[in-house]
Amino acid sequence: MAEMRYREALNQALAEELERDPNVYLMGQDISVFGGAFKVTEGLMDRFGEKRIRDTPISENTIVGIGVGSAMTGLRPVVELMTINFSLLALDQIINHAAHVRYMFGGQVSVPMVVRMPQGAGHQLGPTHSHSFEALYLHVPGLLVAVPSTAADAKGLLKTAIRDDNPVIFIEHETLYGQRGEVPDDPDFTVPFGLAAIRREGTDVTLIGISRMAQTAERAAEQLAAEHGIEAEVIDPRTLRPLDLDTILESVAKTNRCVIVEEGWPHGGVGANLAALIQEQGFDDLDAPVGRVTGVDAPMPYAKSLEQISFPHEQQVIEATLALFGDRKRASRG
Amino acid sequence: MADRPLPPSETALNWLRSMTLIRRFEERAGEQYTRAKVGGFLHLAIGEEATIVGAVAALRPTDYMIATYRSHGQALARGSEPGRVMAELFGRVDGLCRGRGGSMHMFDLERRFMGGFGIVGGNLPLAAGFGLTSDYLGSDDATLCQFGDGASNQGTFGETLNLAALWSLPVVFMVTNNQFGMGTSLERHSAQTDLQRKGEGFGVPGLECDGMDVIDTWAVTTEALRIAREERQPVLVEALNYRFRGHSIADPEDYRTEEEVLEWSKRDPLVTFGDRLAAEGILSDEQREAIDLEAIATVDAAVAFADASPEPEPSSLYDDVYVLSDQVRGWYSADHRGAGLRKGEELS
Ligand SMILES: Cc1ncc(C[n+]2csc(CCOP(=O)(O)OP(=O)(O)O)c2C)c(N)n1
Ligand SMILES: [Mg+2]
């Protein structure tokens, strides 16, 4: 094990995969000379050269489209979009093309491409720069969606994403880049898709945290244990497509209660989707409605006082959990 | 029109055969549409055969070709079996794309026909991606990307030309200027109507060809491909042509006059080319008729083939949503146990 930052783990994954497969190449805005807006690709240009670490103009849709075309013809592009907010300009290439060319051409081609980008609020960047869009990409058949919340998962999932033959939407989190974590030394270390991580075992309630919210859920769980005697099991699905629903249902069968925590908007969110799946397939196990803690149903405000109450913190998770135990008085809306 | 010398007579006759096949195929496709054998949209290329055949003739078999939703002809010219193209229109399992794509989404990997695409302007970035692959792998394959005059207004046009020039990609971008984007005429949709100049700001040289003349189209495309391949830079070619039919099948064509259509039809690429071959003594009347009858027979056989091909099984619905592996197991990556949900394909 080595301790490193989330961004360093990503950098290692990229370097190892570039080393392993000459058809892997990187492209994105300011990723070579500048080293990446979040310094994830720092040093790679010196090591692998401009042919494989390619700076692009600010043309999101076309960058992704070039990735799709090159993936259809034998390369394995890893496209960095500066942040997920800008992926909205590339939705045509991501959905109409990356996700669908294999299907619409009857399986004649595949698109082994990774689109990496960070999401998330907390830096006071206002409505256009603070989105969380895992639900948007989860919606699309043909895409795989990874949402790593630890340094080890960042590395292990990225390596899996690069090796997979499907287009993978790889969602990092802006506030996690500097966070340290233990990462296995083994150069063949990967994290499989479709395998949830149980971050904390517990018997009373299942907390499912998406992306950074897996950490928020974990902290809430410690407080629930210390202050309320509630032992929460915390699950980080790590990939939303494929989804390890088995682990979630097994946990709910044990705890009989479930709260889903996500940073994105409530309507059509990941939690809405998961709650539907859990009640469809685990209804008899539930002692209470599935709870959801989400970002508020509004654009992201700039003012710190407003931004901080626009996405979930431990307190909202604790309140939503207590509400499932009949303590509805304490479950005021955040 | 008569400026350029004829190619060797066998080549010229093959071009005529190819153009005739496309014409007859398109006519028959339209007919089958009215019989409800074909659903959705059906964009016919009648009038645009010279642009298709001339451009495709300039390609090597290993070059990549990519086009739009109006691309039955490109598939045929590239050598796809007419029966499989027709079966795709019919939505049958033997269609080029197993009935998944339909008229707008033809694709034949074996012939490096890299697709028809339903999103106007959506194919340009992909073409640059093919060019990047060729460049990256050090091959001298080139890419030909066709799109319409209307598509030249999309953001992807500027973005892709800029990137292709910046990265020295061997791609020929061919804007087939058939004078309209649906019902909006060129002067009403593009500030710059001299479309070959639309790449100037990006340093992409422009060439123009008479898209109603298969020889001119072939010659100009050949030169453009040479520049792309040897000088490692993209080229923009404007092919001037005209579509004789509506944009898609249901099109009242209120946006143009009958006189205009009549005027252009005097330049029907099939007729003018055939006439020239006849005038130069390469094509006898009997041969001309034989070529036509052969095309009709091929199309008859294509319809019979498509008709005989089964419809896709419901159990194939989720095939090829994903490339399967032990981690990506099936159609619905959330779960397969939901009430009434189909299990879909299994890992083989
Ligand atoms: C992004 C997008 N916008 C609109 C359409 C609807 N549409 C289909 S074809 C077409 C006209 C395109 O004209 P042009 O590029 O000149 O090609 P042509 O049909 O003349 O070959 C339009 C507007 C579409 N398919 N995709
Ligand atoms: Mg047009």
Side-chain angles (χ1 to χ4, degrees):
Chain A
M1 287 283 185
E3 200 193 72
M4 66 182 74
R5 295 180 195 278
Y6 184 93
R7 76 156 56 81
E8 292 162 345
L10 290 165
N11 182 284
Q12 254 190 16
L14 292 169
E16 287 172 13
E17 293 307 299
L18 283 158
E19 197 69 62
R20 189 184 57 79
D21 182 347
N23 287 342
V24 172
Y25 76 97
L26 272 48
M27 113 178 110
Q29 290 156 27
D30 278 313
I31 66 165
S32 77
V33 177
F34 192 76
F38 295 93
K39 302 292 175 204
V40 171
T41 51
E42 194 145 58
L44 295 180
M45 214 258 292
D46 292 339
R47 218 171 129 191
F48 297 99
E50 270 185 297
K51 176 184 163 192
R52 301 186 67 196
I53 314 296
R54 307 177 81 99
D55 271 336
T56 68
I58 307 156
S59 307
E60 285 79 8
N61 199 34
T62 291
I63 297 164
V64 173
I66 290 180
V68 176
S70 67
M72 287 167 72
T73 45
L75 302 188
R76 301 188 83 86
V78 181
V79 178
E80 174 176 309
L81 297 182
M82 206 172 267
T83 74
I84 204 164
N85 309 283
F86 317 137
S87 75
L88 294 179
L89 282 82
L91 279 186
D92 172 49
Q93 287 300 332
I94 294 175
I95 298 176
N96 283 321
H97 297 88
H100 292 168
V101 292
R102 177 176 176 77
Y103 189 82
M104 82 181 181
F105 297 142
Q108 293 180 76
V109 278
S110 56
V111 182
M113 173 178 72
V114 181
V115 179
R116 298 180 34 242
M117 50 204 172
Q119 69 174 15
H123 287 150
Q124 280 196 274
L125 298 173
T128 63
H129 279 60
S130 308
H131 293 300
S132 291
F133 279 142
E134 59 270 60
L136 183 61
Y137 293 109
L138 166 62
H139 192 55
V140 183
L143 297 179
L144 299 179
V145 181
V147 282
S149 72
T150 68
D153 284 354
K155 178 172 179 183
L157 287 172
L158 183 53
K159 288 176 66 115
T160 302
I162 293 171
R163 295 177 191 191
D164 195 272
D165 285 332
N166 294 288
V168 180
I169 301 299
F170 195 88
I171 303 176
E172 299 160 11
H173 201 288
E174 280 185 37
T175 63
L176 297 181
Y177 281 126
Q179 207 176 75
R180 290 175 188 280
E182 293 290 330
V183 178
D185 295 318
D186 179 2
D188 283 327
F189 161 72
T190 58
V191 172
F193 282 175
L195 185 67
I198 299 178
R199 300 288 184 211
R200 182 187 196 279
E201 298 206 7
T203 48
D204 301 328
V205 61
T206 301
L207 304 183
I208 304 170
I210 312 300
S211 180
R212 166 172 65 160
M213 291 297 122
Q215 296 189 2
T216 304
E218 223 180 319
R219 288 194 300 271
E222 294 308 326
Q223 247 178 288
L224 281 165
E227 295 167 20
H228 303 278
I230 292 173
E231 291 300 333
E233 182 143 291
V234 179
I235 295 178
D236 177 352
R238 304 200 282 193
T239 59
L240 301 176
R241 263 183 195 263
L243 176 69
D244 181 1
L245 192 58
D246 288 339
T247 296
I248 291 169
L249 291 174
E250 275 161 32
S251 177
V252 172
K254 179 172 71 173
T255 63
N256 311 119
R257 286 177 172 80
C258 182
V259 176
I260 303 151
V261 193
E262 70 187 304
E263 201 170 321
W265 293 310
H267 289 286
V270 178
N273 184 55
L274 276 180
L277 289 167
I278 292 166
Q279 65 85 13
E280 277 167 9
Q281 299 181 40
F283 189 72
D284 292 342
D285 292 324
L286 288 168
D287 286 347
V290 176
R292 285 191 296 152
V293 181
T294 71
V296 299
D297 196 18
M300 189 59 67
Y302 162 73
K304 192 166 187 133
S305 60
L306 296 178
E307 184 186 37
Q308 284 300 320
I309 58 169
S310 295
F311 64 93
H313 297 272
E314 293 88 295
Q315 195 50 39
Q316 283 95 348
V317 181
I318 290 165
E319 286 167 7
T321 305
L322 294 178
L324 301 189
F325 289 87
D327 196 355
R328 288 176 188 281
K329 279 200 303 285
R330 301 171 72 162
S332 63
R333 296 254 47 173
Chain B
M1 168 86 203
D3 306 341
R4 293 192 185 267
L6 284 181
S9 52
E10 201 39 49
T11 305
L13 290 174
N14 279 337
W15 290 355
L16 185 68
R17 284 189 189 100
S18 186
M19 288 165 64
T20 308
L21 175 63
I22 295 171
R23 174 69 56 93
R24 293 304 189 194
F25 185 97
E26 293 289 65
E27 288 170 350
R28 190 67 64 86
E31 222 176 276
Q32 296 298 312
Y33 191 93
T34 60
R35 296 185 192 176
K37 291 273 185 186
V38 180
F41 290 148
L42 186 72
H43 307 92
L44 302 177
I46 292 173
E48 305 192 31
E49 295 90 346
T51 307
I52 298 167
V53 171
V56 168
L59 293 168
R60 298 177 181 173
T62 50
D63 286 338
Y64 295 106
M65 163 94 196
I66 181 169
T68 69
Y69 43 81
R70 195 187 301 284
S71 68
H72 317 149
Q74 280 82 350
L76 293 172
R78 252 337 221 170
S80 300
E81 289 166 46
R84 297 199 60 204
V85 181
M86 192 66 82
E88 189 60 33
L89 297 183
F90 282 30
R92 304 299 172 91
V93 285
D94 296 302
L96 279 182
C97 302
R98 300 170 63 201
R100 299 294 180 69
S103 165
M104 295 196 282
H105 310 109
M106 294 289 168
F107 193 92
D108 193 341
L109 183 64
E110 219 178 295
R111 293 174 179 81
R112 294 212 167 171
F113 175 52
M114 304 303 286
F117 288 84
I119 301 297
V120 171
N123 63 343
L124 282 94
L126 303 187
F130 307 154
L132 178 62
T133 296
S134 302
D135 201 58
Y136 192 98
L137 299 177
S139 90
D140 70 348
D141 301 335
T143 294
L144 175 66
C145 174
Q146 289 186 330
F147 52 92
D149 48 292
S152 74
N153 300 312
Q154 281 285 30
T156 49
F157 174 86
E159 291 185 11
T160 306
L161 263 63
N162 177 55
L163 252 156
L166 192 67
W167 288 359
S168 307
L169 300 179
V171 182
V172 172
F173 295 97
M174 177 178 279
V175 51
T176 56
N177 178 5
N178 62 6
Q179 324 296 328
F180 294 94
M182 285 182 67
T184 307
S185 62
L186 180 65
E187 316 75 61
R188 294 179 61 233
H189 74 60
S190 184
Q192 171 58 276
T193 53
D194 191 2
L195 297 183
Q196 57 164 323
R197 297 188 54 192
K198 257 184 152 171
E200 273 175 6
F202 307 110
V204 177
L207 300 173
E208 186 186 288
C209 67
D210 179 355
M212 301 302 265
D213 178 355
V214 65
I215 304 175
D216 195 52
T217 304
W218 168 81
V220 173
T221 312
T222 299
E223 171 59 6
L225 284 163
R226 187 200 62 73
I227 296 170
R229 212 186 303 275
E230 290 173 15
E231 296 174 21
R232 311 308 291 176
Q233 67 157 84
V235 183
L236 177 64
V237 177
E238 176 181 5
L240 285 153
N241 69 11
Y242 199 79
R243 70 169 152 71
F244 293 158
R245 294 286 179 92
H247 168 71
S248 181
I249 285 287
D251 178 354
E253 298 182 55
D254 293 335
Y255 50 83
R256 60 185 186 185
T257 61
E258 271 172 48
E259 292 73 47
E260 180 182 308
V261 180
L262 204 65
E263 202 49 45
W264 275 92
S265 67
K266 290 181 189 151
R267 297 179 54 199
D268 184 319
L270 205 55
V271 176
T272 52
F273 188 52
D275 287 352
R276 177 161 176 208
L277 295 185
E280 302 212 15
I282 287 170
L283 183 68
S284 67
D285 287 350
E286 298 76 55
Q287 245 178 325
R288 197 168 180 171
E289 187 172 349
I291 285 174
D292 195 35
L293 290 176
E294 190 193 344
I296 291 169
T298 303
V299 173
D300 284 344
V303 170
F305 175 83
D307 248 334
S309 175
E311 292 183 350
E313 286 294 328
S315 64
S316 72
L317 184 60
Y318 296 102
D319 286 358
D320 298 317
V321 176
Y322 291 100
V323 179
L324 300 184
S325 66
D326 55 356
Q327 290 174 28
V328 181
R329 287 208 202 93
W331 59 274
Y332 184 46
S333 51
D335 189 59
H336 49 77
R337 290 168 302 179
L341 297 178
R342 194 184 309 282
K343 186 159 180 177
E345 63 191 346
E346 295 286 346
L347 251 189
S348 51

